[in-house]
Every structure is written in C-alpha cells, then in structure tokens.
Amino acid sequence: MLMTKERRPAVRTLRGWALSVLQEVGAIHECEEHGWAKDRADPHARDRAFAVARQHPPAGVSPEAATVAVAEILDETGDTCPECLPDEER
C-alpha cells in the first residue's frame, strides 16, 4: 500500500504562513460560526509557534521576520469573536 505524507497547504503570504503555524500548534482556533481567529491563551502553544518561526521560517524569510509575523497575529487576535454575542444577550 502506498503511503503518502500529508503536505501542508501552500501559503502565499507571510501572514498566511503565521496564521497556519499558530493554528497548527494550537495557539489560535476559528470561531465555528463566523471564522474569526480566536486566541486560546495557551503559553506553551505560543512558545511552540515562536520556536517554529525561529527554526523553520518559510523560504526566503529570516527567522526574525517570521517571529515578528507570529507576534503581530497574536497581538491582534482576541479571545472572543467580534461577531458573537455575549452569553447574556443570547
């Protein structure tokens, strides 16, 4: 039986790469209803994302630029979806 290794999808931008790394390590996830990225507030997952950025940046990108991209996504991502209503309003 032929076994193939699962390939990561091709990412066209540094921002897209950073988002995929953060999702892969479990630092962020998508709102099930609206698709917004939400921060999981997991410090270990954040550490893993920065380690990936430093050790395995995308081709042609410095480790410093990759870590900055990851940090920018984390800085702009909240722990709630902006379109979801608070629990008391539902």
Side-chain angles (χ1 to χ4, degrees):
M1 176 184 202
L2 179 63
M3 300 290 287
T4 60
K5 184 176 177 181
E6 183 179 329
R7 289 187 175 181
R8 292 183 183 177
V11 178
R12 297 178 188 263
T13 66
L14 182 55
R15 179 179 171 78
W17 174 85
L19 282 166
S20 69
V21 167
L22 287 164
Q23 284 181 323
E24 190 173 300
V25 300
I28 63 172
H29 67 284
E30 287 185 8
C31 168
E32 294 174 4
E33 292 181 47
H34 305 106
W36 287 91
K38 296 185 338 182
D39 190 343
R40 288 190 185 270
D42 179 349
H44 300 293
R46 287 172 172 242
D47 291 343
R48 288 190 301 271
F50 284 116
V52 169
R54 283 189 301 274
Q55 297 169 7
H56 305 288
V61 176
S62 71
E64 294 80 16
T67 55
V68 167
V70 167
E72 286 175 350
I73 299 294
L74 287 171
D75 287 345
E76 65 188 36
T77 304
D79 61 351
T80 59
C81 171
E83 292 186 45
C84 288
L85 295 174
D87 289 335
E88 61 271 1
E89 293 182 25
R90 288 186 184 184

